[in-house]
RNA sequence: GGGCCCGUAGCUCAGCGGCAGAGCAGGGGACUUUUAAUCCUCGUGUCGUGGGUUCGAAUCCCACCGGGCCCUCCA
């Protein structure tokens, strides 16, 4: 039974180049995959919790989820597994994150104490859990999570360890043949956790007697960690040793019966990790490897993301700005073999992501959209939804406020956003729409705090903006006249302003009308005087929220062309 | 050295054998007791280059150029 399934899986990676696909719709890669397989499917992915994970790492889990949904929609019984390779050593890889612990280099990640005192049992648990905690909110629900630090001690890997050691010569041959890596003839594919110093990255096994291995913990085996120099015979079972990554990967496929496993393009390169593991699966564990779905990375500004170099956001931070449906859209819209260019810092990339999602919703709901839709847009929309069981039509039909507009409104003092949105929609927002609004309002604020370009932010300048030099005489006159008009002497002689936004607003219109200045020019003058830009929030309410003395001084300074209030200093 | 991806409008990209397209940005205009917006309008771009196949190539093939990433356990 299983064998017949395997035989059908012998096709290469599905990541077809653009020239190979047919008259495709956008999500065909997932649906085509679902149409190609038969029988029950097991999808797997696993991750080494080396440290803080950046947002690009979520592409893999989202792709897993989309494949799972496509398979289930096609009627295949499907199991989704997600593993944590937490017996891997803290190695050079961890040095690429800000989290590496120098004295623990070479130690299994699961055996390193959590550096953050927030209740996790280990370094590995901390970073893996921080990552995994994002899954549910993104609509990714593996049927089972497994941790290699549980799997090994439970003995489940013992039979694969034995097979690998018995066939060490085959493994060495694969490394040499597939990857041009020449291990010594005494090298054995097992990593003992040193009984003396606890490191796994520094040990090498040179003998296997069928029950025990002889290992040495060498000071200079690797550059990034120093072994303690001890050696001895040990039974490499029950968690006392782990397989090297390529063998562990292949062993996982056998252990869990994996039929589909996507991987990043770094592993999928010719002669790389995936090729080695595929060969090991076939020749050592005698099982056809799972279907591969190779996927490209997420680049920031045309360059690779790097947590350590400050390019790109940590995954757990970006989700505060990009809600699940939109983050899924980011990953799902391009085919897996396309690199994604994404640069949220100081750009409108995030607002445009929302716009694109909204356009997908509009088109799916049958509303008119500007321009043309990419083929397969309805599938993209459906798979982008966090909730796999959502009523797609209802979701598409729901009212969604423009993100950019919302980012503006949240900066307007006293704006009644729900009422404004109801006006825009033409009727009251329902519960779901209010939830979407709230989600976007939070996201908009977070975006303004963390990523937005300055032009999207509105703030009253502390001194007279240079931009007042662009005002014409009529506008200056308006500002001066307004200041005089509202500066009615109070009993004590101190300046007062109109009480409240309505009164300010009325004064603005009255003053402009008195001067014959079109309201638009008058308001523009105010915005320039206070914000340094030609548009802004409702001016009356903006001024009402400021100190009257400040407002009057600024009006007069701006009317004078900025010669008052900015005390020299400029060359 | 090998592998993968990309190269189409300022930017992000779609199109993948049949008249070069969209969004955004930008220009111009309209409206407005206001902001955001909305509406109208404006697109000749060596489709990276050179060959080839074809009645016909941005599209298929070959070579090359440029960019990016990977091949060190990141995805």
């Amino acid at each position: 039974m299983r064998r017949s399934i395997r035989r059908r899986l012998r096709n290469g990676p599905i990541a077809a180049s653009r020239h190979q696909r047919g008259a495709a719709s956008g999500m065909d890669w997932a649906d085509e995959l679902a149409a190609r397989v038969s029988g029950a499917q097991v999808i797997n992915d696993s991750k080494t919790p080396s440290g803080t994970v950046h947002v690009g790492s979520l592409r893999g889990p989202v792709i897993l989820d989309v494949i799972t949904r496509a398979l289930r929609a096609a009627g295949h019984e499907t199991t989704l597994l997600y593993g944590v390779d937490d017996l891997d050593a803290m190695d050079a890889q961890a040095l690429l994150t800000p989290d590496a612990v120098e004295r623990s280099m070479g130690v299994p990640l699961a055996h390193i104490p959590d550096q953050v005192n927030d209740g996790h049992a280990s370094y590995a648990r901390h970073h893996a859990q921080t990552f995994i905690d994002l899954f549910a909110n993104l609509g990714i629900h593996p049927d089972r999570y497994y941790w290699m630090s549980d799997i090994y001690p439970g003995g489940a890997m013992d039979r694969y360890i034995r097979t690998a050691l018995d066939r060490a010569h085959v493994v060495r041959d694969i490394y040499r043949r597939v990857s041009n890596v020449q291990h010594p003839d005494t090298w054995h594919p097992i990593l003992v956790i040193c009984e003396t110093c606890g490191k796994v990255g520094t040990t090498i096994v040179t003998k296997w007697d069928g029950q025990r291995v002889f290992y040495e913990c060498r000071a200079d085996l690797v550059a990034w960690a120093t072994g303690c120099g001890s050696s001895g015979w040990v039974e490499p079972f029950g968690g006392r040793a782990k397989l090297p990554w390529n063998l562990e990967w292949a062993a996982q496929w056998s252990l869990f019966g994996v039929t589909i496993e996507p991987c990043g393009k770094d592993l999928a390169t010719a002669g790389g990790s995936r090729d080695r593991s595929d060969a090991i699966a076939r020749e050592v564990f005698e099982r056809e490897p799972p279907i591969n779905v190779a996927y490209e990375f997420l680049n920031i500004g045309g360059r690779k993301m790097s947590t350590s170099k400050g390019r790109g956001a940590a995954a757990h931070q970006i989700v505060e700005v990009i809600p699940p449906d939109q983050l899924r859209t980011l990953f799902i819209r391009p085919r897996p073999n396309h690199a994604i260019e994404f640069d949220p810092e100081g750009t409108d990339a995030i607002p445009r992501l929302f716009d694109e999602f909204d356009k997908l919703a509009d088109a799916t709901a049958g509303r008119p959209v500007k321009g043309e839709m990419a083929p397969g847009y309805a599938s993209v929309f459906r798979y982008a939804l966090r909730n796999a069981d959502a009523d797609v039509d209802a979701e598409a039909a729901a009212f969604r406020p423009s993100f950019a507009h919302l980012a503006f409104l949240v900066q307007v003092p006293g704006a009644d956003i729900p009422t404004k949105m109801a006006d825009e929609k033409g009727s009251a927002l329902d519960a779901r729409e209010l939830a979407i609004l709230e989600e976007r309002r939070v996201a908009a604020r977070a975006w303004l705090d963390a990523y937005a370009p300055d032009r999207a932010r509105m703030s009253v300048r502390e001194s007279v903006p240079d931009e007042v030099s662009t005002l014409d005489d009529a506008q200056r006159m308006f500002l001066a006249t307004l200041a005089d008009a509202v500066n009615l002497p109070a009993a004590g002689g101190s300046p007062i302003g109109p009480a409240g936004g309505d009164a300010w607003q009325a004064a603005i219109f009255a003053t402009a009308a008195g001067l014959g200045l079109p309201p638009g020019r008058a308001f523009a003058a105010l915005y320039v005087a206070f914000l340094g830009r030609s548009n802004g929030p409702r001016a009356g309410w903006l001024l009402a929220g400021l100190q009257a003395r400040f407002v009057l001084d600024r009006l007069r300074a701006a009317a004078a062309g900025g010669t008052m209030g900015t005390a020299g200093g400029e060359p």
Side-chain angles (χ1 to χ4, degrees):
Chain A
M1 185 61 150
R2 168 164 281 171
R3 185 165 298 162
S4 69
I5 295 171
R6 284 182 202 155
R7 205 170 287 133
R8 290 199 185 93
L9 298 181
R10 278 184 196 230
N11 314 314
I14 69 140
S17 84
R18 63 180 188 168
H19 300 305
Q20 292 172 293
R21 45 176 222 280
S25 65
M27 291 302 300
D28 269 1
W29 61 268
D31 293 327
E32 279 172 7
L33 175 60
R36 224 179 80 196
V37 300
S38 60
Q41 299 295 315
V42 177
I43 308 173
N44 179 64
D45 193 9
S46 63
K47 176 147 186 64
T48 301
S50 299
T52 299
V53 176
H54 61 64
V55 58
S57 301
L58 287 168
R59 189 174 193 181
V62 170
I63 284 175
L64 290 185
D65 177 66
V66 168
I67 292 172
T68 302
R69 293 189 189 188
L71 289 169
R72 286 179 178 157
H76 299 295
E77 185 187 324
T78 301
T79 306
L80 177 59
L81 304 176
Y82 197 86
V84 182
D85 301 320
D86 59 342
L87 272 191
D88 291 4
M90 176 163 299
D91 59 12
Q93 194 51 53
L95 295 175
L96 297 179
T97 77
D99 312 299
V101 183
E102 175 114 26
R103 68 176 178 282
S104 297
M105 294 304 294
V107 176
L109 296 164
H111 297 171
I112 298 170
D114 188 3
Q115 305 299 299
V116 182
N117 187 23
D118 62 356
H120 293 112
S122 70
Y123 180 98
R125 291 273 164 174
H126 175 89
H127 291 290
Q129 200 64 53
T130 301
F131 187 56
I132 284 172
D133 283 349
L134 304 174
F135 288 13
N137 194 45
L138 276 175
I140 303 163
H141 302 284
D143 297 291
R144 178 187 169 195
Y145 289 101
Y146 61 91
W147 301 70
M148 294 313 288
S149 61
D150 294 334
I151 298 288
Y152 277 102
M157 296 295 279
D158 289 352
R159 54 179 292 204
Y160 303 105
I161 291 173
R162 183 175 292 280
T163 300
L165 288 169
D166 286 343
R167 301 185 181 181
H169 61 287
V170 178
V171 176
R172 288 191 294 265
D173 180 61
I174 288 170
Y175 271 76
R176 183 183 50 72
R177 178 160 40 84
V178 176
S179 299
N180 202 27
V181 171
Q182 185 75 54
H183 284 300
D185 288 346
T186 55
W187 180 89
H188 285 68
I190 189 74
L191 303 171
V192 172
I193 300 172
C194 178
E195 295 172 294
T196 304
C197 71
K199 290 177 185 165
V200 71
T202 53
T203 64
I204 183 167
V205 162
T206 51
K207 295 170 193 162
W208 159 244
D209 69 3
Q211 192 54 36
R212 298 176 308 159
V213 294
F214 180 77
Y215 79 96
E216 300 166 45
C217 183
R218 292 183 183 167
D220 58 353
L221 185 69
V222 293
W224 37 269
T226 307
C228 67
S230 60
S231 62
W233 286 90
V234 64
E235 292 190 14
F237 305 115
R240 284 186 290 273
K242 75 179 289 290
L243 292 167
W245 163 240
N246 287 122
L247 289 103
E248 186 171 293
W249 202 4
Q252 286 172 354
W253 295 339
S254 291
L255 179 61
F256 299 119
V258 179
T259 59
I260 301 174
E261 177 150 350
C263 73
K265 69 95 157 283
D266 58 326
L267 303 177
T269 195
S273 213
R274 182 67 180 232
D275 280 356
R276 284 199 294 278
S277 290
D278 281 357
I280 289 164
R282 292 190 179 101
E283 300 175 38
V284 178
F285 300 127
E286 297 183 333
R287 179 188 188 279
E288 191 59 20
I291 293 178
N292 186 14
V293 180
Y295 55 94
E296 265 278 0
F297 295 150
L298 178 71
N299 296 324
I300 291 290
R303 317 247 339 150
K304 165 188 179 176
M305 264 203 174
S306 166
T307 316
S308 62
K309 290 173 187 159
R311 269 199 310 274
H316 64 274
Q317 292 167 333
I318 204 84
V319 298
E320 293 172 10
V321 185
I322 307 180
D325 292 354
Q326 286 74 39
L327 191 54
R328 291 177 62 99
T329 301
L330 174 67
F331 290 125
I332 285 172
R333 183 190 36 182
R335 279 170 293 281
N337 62 334
H338 276 54
I340 300 172
E341 295 293 336
F342 187 65
D343 189 2
E345 198 77 43
T347 71
D348 60 354
I350 287 174
R352 278 166 56 178
L353 184 57
F354 279 88
D355 290 346
E356 206 154 334
F357 178 87
D358 294 350
K359 193 170 166 184
L360 289 169
D362 287 342
T364 302
R367 288 189 293 266
V369 294
K370 279 197 278 187
E372 300 163 1
M373 296 303 297
Y377 63 85
S379 293
V380 175
F381 179 74
R382 180 161 44 90
Y383 285 123
L385 295 177
R386 171 198 177 200
N387 180 2
D389 302 321
D391 178 338
V392 175
D393 292 335
E395 278 294 313
F399 172 81
R400 290 180 171 80
S402 151
F403 184 84
H405 189 189
L406 205 50
F408 174 85
L409 288 177
V410 299
Q411 298 179 82
V412 176
D416 182 351
I417 296 179
T419 300
K420 185 118 185 135
M421 291 303 126
D423 287 348
E424 240 176 64
K425 183 195 171 193
S427 60
L429 271 54
D430 64 26
R432 171 67 183 139
E433 290 167 334
L434 286 170
I436 292 171
L437 172 60
E438 184 55 25
E439 179 180 73
R440 292 194 171 199
R441 181 149 63 167
V442 170
R445 284 200 186 282
W447 178 68
L448 289 164
D449 287 344
Y451 296 107
D454 287 340
R455 66 175 181 275
R457 294 197 185 95
M458 249 167 299
S459 60
V460 175
R461 299 281 185 87
E462 298 201 2
S463 59
V464 181
D466 294 339
E467 288 83 352
V468 298
S469 64
T470 64
L471 296 176
D472 62 26
D473 289 344
Q475 288 176 307
R476 287 173 209 273
M477 175 66 77
F478 162 76
L479 294 174
T481 307
L482 180 63
D484 292 340
V486 300
N487 189 18
L488 304 175
S494 61
I496 62 168
D502 287 322
W504 268 109
Q505 201 76 349
I508 293 166
F509 277 110
T511 303
L515 293 170
L517 185 68
R521 307 260 315 283
F523 280 96
L526 288 171
Y527 296 129
V528 169
F530 287 85
L531 307 176
R533 45 185 284 161
S534 60
N535 58 37
R538 291 166 69 85
W541 286 264
L542 173 69
L543 300 186
L546 301 170
Q547 293 285 331
R549 163 55 66 191
F550 173 84
V551 173
L552 292 172
D553 287 350
R554 174 61 57 86
L555 288 173
R556 295 196 168 110
T563 54
M564 295 166 58
T566 40
E570 267 108 359

